[in-house]
Amino acid sequence: MSHDLYEIIHRRRDVRGEFTGEPVPDAVLDRVLGAAHAAPSVGLSQPWDFVIVRSRALREEFHSHVRREREVFAATLDGEAATRFARIKIDGVLESTLSIVVTYDAERGGPAVLGRHAIADAGLYSACLAVQNLWLAATAERLGVGWVSFYREEFVRELLGIPAAIRPIAWLCVGPVTHLERTPDLERHGWRRRRPLHLARHDDRWGGEDSSRTYSIS
């Protein structure tokens, strides 16, 4: 069995400061988007679209919006949290080669989306799977991806002319990078530590654990 996929999963990082700004070949971009478009989706609804943003003017306008939202969040912090956050770079909007905005259309495949009748968010989950596919494919192509979440959906909708019924769920900065950090930025800057797998695993019922298993914490 090839372990390349596992290596890519663990090498993937949310990139901020390592973008070089070098071009992304069209063939590479097509492969990455093809991987995203191959994601599974509830009722085969494929509720996503991809807006490729190369315009410097659009990215500068979005970047200004992100800066303002950073200030909004920073104002809610004090003490050590404020100090830690001040050191964290939250986006690579201007440093990256381009951006890809992934959207979600709740009406795609409707009115009866097979498999979504009991879980309304199943379509949104599907769009997130497209983001994950895109991210892993980009990592395999030696590209970095940074998911920017400091924005208001209505701002991005107006900026990019996205119809009112469609949600922009992910603004992804994409491009070649100098390297990928071995440790995630938030962990390096002391914002949070990773939660070990054994604390997230439950057997049969919440809190259930196979007593025959033993764990080591590192």
Side-chain angles (χ1 to χ4, degrees), residues 4-24:
D4 290 349
L5 176 60
Y6 293 98
E7 187 271 333
I8 289 167
I9 288 171
H10 289 285
R11 182 159 53 87
R12 179 213 60 80
R13 287 291 174 266
D14 197 357
V15 176
R16 298 288 183 256
E18 294 75 37
F19 289 110
T20 68
E22 295 175 2
V24 176

Side-chain angles (χ1 to χ4, degrees), residues 34-35 37 54 60 66-67 71 83 104 124 131 147 151 207 217:
H37 195 55
R54 291 189 174 90
E60 286 179 349
V66 170
R67 296 291 96 186
E71 292 172 1
T83 301
Y104 168 57
L124 184 59
V131 173
W147 188 332
Y151 70 84
I217 301 176

Side-chain angles (χ1 to χ4, degrees), residues 171-189:
W171 185 296
L172 307 174
C173 304
V174 180
V177 291
T178 56
H179 65 286
L180 294 176
E181 294 286 355
R182 295 180 62 87
T183 305
D185 283 358
L186 296 187
E187 195 169 0
R188 287 192 301 114
H189 289 294

